[in-house]
Amino acid sequence: MVISASNDHPAATAVATNAPSNAPDSHDIRISLSDLSGTAKFFDYKLSDNKPIRFFVIKSSDGVYRAALDACDTCYHAKKGYHQEGDDMICNNCGLHFHSSQINEVHGGCNPVGLPRTIEGNQLVIKGSELESRGGYF
């Protein structure tokens, strides 16, 4: 599995400049909390079948670290993802706005598909299996 920061997200106000690291002998994604802020960072990830997917992480305005696919249940077929304006993530296909504090809280429709995540020490951890199980969105 390959993880890389993406610099080509067409409408992102900022994109991560450094990739998260993989823990040795693990497929879990680990991203330093010090790299996260109120600006969404987008990452590309290759599934075990080499299918590329994209996700983003953000520290929302309420101080919670959040993660979601760059896709939703409604518009994922368009493969346009989201961009950020202020505290909102905006669907590049339909234009709906989603406040950062609602990521991982509100599900379905055009809301970003949330990724379960945990905090371990000074890292945000996303299980590789969670990304693998969501490959159908890409």
Side-chain angles (χ1 to χ4, degrees):
M1 276 143 250
V2 175
I3 307 160
S4 61
S6 173
N7 291 319
D8 64 351
H9 194 273
T13 55
V15 179
T17 56
N18 56 346
S21 62
N22 278 29
D25 302 319
S26 173
H27 293 246
D28 296 349
I29 311 310
R30 296 177 177 276
I31 304 168
S32 175
L33 297 179
S34 64
D35 290 340
L36 301 178
S37 68
T39 300
K41 293 187 180 189
F42 293 84
F43 295 93
D44 294 320
Y45 181 87
K46 285 207 178 193
L47 300 176
S48 58
D49 64 1
N50 282 325
K51 183 178 194 177
I53 69 169
R54 181 186 287 282
F55 67 96
F56 66 88
V57 294
I58 188 171
K59 182 178 180 184
S60 59
S61 58
D62 59 358
V64 176
Y65 295 97
R66 301 179 185 276
L69 294 181
D70 194 22
C72 68
D73 288 333
T74 303
C75 297
Y76 76 93
H77 287 90
K79 300 189 185 313
K80 293 184 178 180
Y82 294 86
H83 71 277
Q84 184 176 6
E85 289 181 16
D87 241 0
D88 289 354
M89 297 305 292
I90 301 168
C91 177
N92 291 325
N93 189 56
C94 69
L96 290 176
H97 288 234
F98 304 94
H99 195 271
S100 66
S101 65
Q102 296 303 302
I103 297 169
N104 298 107
E105 302 297 326
V106 180
H107 308 283
C110 207
N111 288 282
V113 175
L115 288 169
R117 73 276 179 229
T118 57
I119 303 295
E120 293 180 13
N122 63 350
Q123 296 181 321
L124 178 86
V125 179
I126 300 168
K127 294 201 171 290
S129 60
E130 295 291 350
L131 292 167
E132 291 284 340
S133 71
R134 290 164 174 79
Y137 286 99
F138 295 89

